[in-house]
């Protein structure tokens, strides 16, 4: 049963990562900001390999920031 819930969460995180990447690509922001957001997405992707619930929480925070127009500073 736990495996089923883990697989469901994995599918949800994968779908949301795909959505997040599309949002980042569509943003009209400087390239440095886009790169910073892409790095954050890569961190979430890496986290999903080791701690899926933590990756889901990180992705939720990142999506909320994107929705509210809060972007990281570019380098």
């Amino acid at each position: 049963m736990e495996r089923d819930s883990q697989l469901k969460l994995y599918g949800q995180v994968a779908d949301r990562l795909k959505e997040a990447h599309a949002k980042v690509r569509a943003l009209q922001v400087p390239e440095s900001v886009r790169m910073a957001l892409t790095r954050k997405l890569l961190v979430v992707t890496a986290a999903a390999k080791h701690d899926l619930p933590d990756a889901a929480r990180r992705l939720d925070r990142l999506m909320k920031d994107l929705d509210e127009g809060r972007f990281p500073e570019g380098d």
Side-chain angles (χ1 to χ4, degrees):
M1 186 69 166
E2 182 178 325
R3 180 167 165 76
D4 290 339
S5 65
Q6 191 80 348
L7 285 173
K8 183 178 177 182
L9 181 58
Y10 181 80
Q12 291 170 342
V13 169
D15 289 343
R16 298 221 42 225
L17 275 169
K18 194 173 179 181
E19 177 186 343
H21 276 280
K23 277 188 173 191
V24 168
R25 273 194 311 272
L27 289 173
Q28 299 296 317
V29 295
E31 188 61 26
S32 60
V33 173
R34 186 179 324 284
M35 288 175 61
L37 289 167
T38 300
R39 281 191 298 272
K40 285 180 175 263
L41 287 169
L42 290 173
V43 168
V44 171
T45 302
K49 295 175 184 178
H50 306 286
D51 188 347
L52 193 54
D54 180 54
R57 286 187 295 274
R58 288 176 182 231
L59 185 55
D60 286 342
R61 283 193 305 267
L62 178 58
M63 292 295 281
K64 183 177 180 189
D65 287 346
L66 289 175
D67 290 342
E68 294 177 359
R70 288 193 307 260
F71 307 124
E73 296 289 323
D75 291 344

